[in-house]
Amino acid sequence: MAKALIGYMHSDLRTPHHLTAENARLRARVQELEKLVLSLKSENDGLVAAHTELLETSIQEMQPA
C-alpha cells in the first residue's frame, strides 16, 4: 500500500519549474494577506480607540456637575 502511494505521488506530471512557480505565487499571496491583516488590525485599533474616547466622553457628560 505504501509503495502504491509513493508511486502515485512521484508520478506527478508537473515539472519542478511549475512547482517553483506555484510556490512563489503562494508565498506572494501569503505576504499580501499578511499585509492585509496588519492593515485591518491597525484600522481596528483606531476604531477601538475612537470608540473608547467617545464612550468616556459620553460617561463624563452623563455625570452630574
Side-chain angles (χ1 to χ4, degrees), residues 30-60:
V30 167
Q31 286 181 344
E32 179 184 328
L33 291 173
E34 286 174 341
K35 287 179 186 177
L36 178 61
V37 166
L38 289 175
S39 172
L40 291 173
K41 282 183 179 180
S42 176
E43 182 181 350
N44 187 55
D45 290 344
L47 290 172
V48 167
H51 177 70
T52 301
E53 183 179 328
L54 181 62
L55 187 60
E56 288 175 355
T57 302
S58 297
I59 289 172
Q60 289 174 357

Side-chain angles (χ1 to χ4, degrees), residues 12-27:
D12 193 357
L13 298 176
R14 294 181 290 184
T15 62
H17 174 69
H18 287 93
L19 293 176
T20 303
E22 182 179 359
N23 192 19
R25 182 186 63 81
L26 291 172
R27 286 181 187 272

